Amino acid sequence: MSDIFPVVVGICLDAEAIWVGKAPENKERPVLLSHGAFAIREGLAPLLDVLDEHGVCATFFVPGMIADRYPDAVKLCADRGHEIGSHGYAHLPVHTLTAEQEEHELVAGLDSLARITGQRPTTWRSPSWEFSPRTLDLLLKHGVSVSTNYHDALRPYRHMRDGKPLPLVELPVQWHLADAPYFLYGGQIGRVIRPATDAEQVWTEEFDGLYEAPGAFYHLTLHVQLIGHPGRLRMLRRHLRHVRGRPRVQFMTSRQAASLVP
Ligand SMILES: [Zn+2]
């Protein structure tokens, strides 16, 4: 991995699932859900164009519920060369579920994407970046080989048990390398929306640092409903131009980056 610097862009296509997963009664709140519908209606097409412009093969994480509702959007992402990763079924936080519910969420999410793309996902992102004490075993049982959830390292690594390597690679993520802390807004969030340049500044500073750290990689987390607005997409274009300017950079999907881990 020393002569290349992997850059992975993981993009959640949550659409309405965030709000429905939080509280089923939100299904009756069309204006609230429209925050998520924006991803399909407006955000996705120009985001895909920005990725194409910069030769980025990303990983899109889609809850099964959203894949069932918008199969054409999932097919579009796959047809444009992106990896489709699973993001649960109903975007339920796994640490709040029973064992049966957690397994059902995982399997239903994988099944739904397999039906639509013809390929069973091997990469999984937990809704809300949480594991339960059972999650690791469930991932192994159902053929997930790449997790993008832990925050504990600058480098991809293999999960271990009792000193022995498991067939599951972690691509660690960081909150400061996600769009949500800058742009996610709502009555209960209690946060001020930041200018896109704030995210750009933090991402660029950290990218430059990681680029110099031996064996490190750069893992950016985006949400279509948050990044897919015109001014933020301009920022993303600038940022990707900066990233591409470094000679060792190689954009890759989560699966490709995980395959580099021995
Ligand atoms: Zn999500």
Side-chain angles (χ1 to χ4, degrees):
M1 249 163 114
S2 55
D3 52 341
I4 62 163
F5 181 78
V7 173
V8 178
V9 181
I11 304 171
C12 295
L13 180 57
D14 298 297
E16 296 94 341
I18 290 182
W19 292 275
V20 178
K22 209 171 265 175
E25 58 271 25
N26 284 339
K27 279 186 189 146
E28 311 303 323
R29 297 177 63 186
V31 173
L32 182 69
L33 296 181
S34 74
H35 290 91
F38 179 91
I40 304 292
R41 189 169 177 162
E42 295 283 359
L44 183 59
L47 174 60
L48 286 169
D49 288 345
V50 171
L51 298 174
D52 276 357
E53 278 168 37
H54 293 278
V56 177
C57 275
T59 301
F60 278 84
F61 294 95
V62 191
M65 166 198 284
I66 295 308
D68 287 346
R69 184 180 288 196
Y70 303 111
D72 289 347
V74 178
K75 284 184 201 149
L76 179 65
C77 295
D79 289 348
R80 300 275 282 260
H82 303 292
E83 179 186 7
I84 305 298
S86 181
H87 195 36
Y89 187 81
H91 207 275
L92 303 178
V94 297
H95 61 296
T96 65
L97 303 178
T98 65
E100 292 73 25
Q101 286 171 329
E102 183 177 0
E103 186 159 23
H104 177 265
E105 272 291 303
L106 177 64
V107 173
L110 294 168
D111 284 350
S112 161
L113 293 172
R115 268 196 309 275
I116 291 165
T117 65
Q119 212 173 3
R120 199 170 180 77
T122 52
T123 301
W124 179 78
R125 168 167 294 166
S126 159
S128 73
W129 278 343
E130 294 277 1
F131 267 40
S132 81
R134 299 173 295 266
T135 304
L136 184 57
D137 282 319
L138 285 172
L139 297 180
L140 296 171
K141 177 179 172 186
H142 292 289
V144 173
S145 55
V146 186
S147 158
T148 65
N149 296 290
Y150 277 70
H151 300 247
D152 53 354
L154 301 179
R155 298 161 187 83
Y157 63 88
R158 186 168 292 283
H159 283 270
M160 309 283 282
R161 178 177 282 158
D162 303 327
K164 295 200 178 77
L166 295 171
L168 181 69
V169 168
E170 186 67 39
L171 301 182
V173 288
Q174 304 294 338
W175 273 115
H176 57 282
L177 299 181
D179 54 1
Y182 311 95
F183 305 142
L184 184 63
Y185 182 77
Q188 72 279 47
I189 303 281
R191 169 196 300 146
V192 176
I193 294 172
R194 309 304 308 170
T197 46
D198 279 11
E200 182 180 16
Q201 186 180 347
V202 174
W203 295 350
T204 300
E205 285 169 355
E206 200 57 24
F207 166 80
D208 289 345
L210 287 164
Y211 189 79
E212 302 302 330
F217 81 131
Y218 185 60
H219 196 179
L220 190 62
T221 297
L222 306 174
H223 297 76
V224 182
Q225 71 272 21
L226 298 177
I227 198 72
H229 295 262
R232 294 173 186 171
L233 287 170
R234 289 178 67 160
M235 176 278 284
L236 180 64
R237 202 176 263 124
R238 285 195 306 271
H239 182 59
L240 291 174
R241 199 175 299 130
H242 176 81
V243 167
R244 277 176 69 195
R246 295 300 192 111
R248 290 191 291 116
V249 160
Q250 203 165 304
F251 288 105
M252 50 183 80
T253 64
S254 303
R255 187 170 46 208
Q256 289 166 336
S259 73
L260 302 175
V261 177

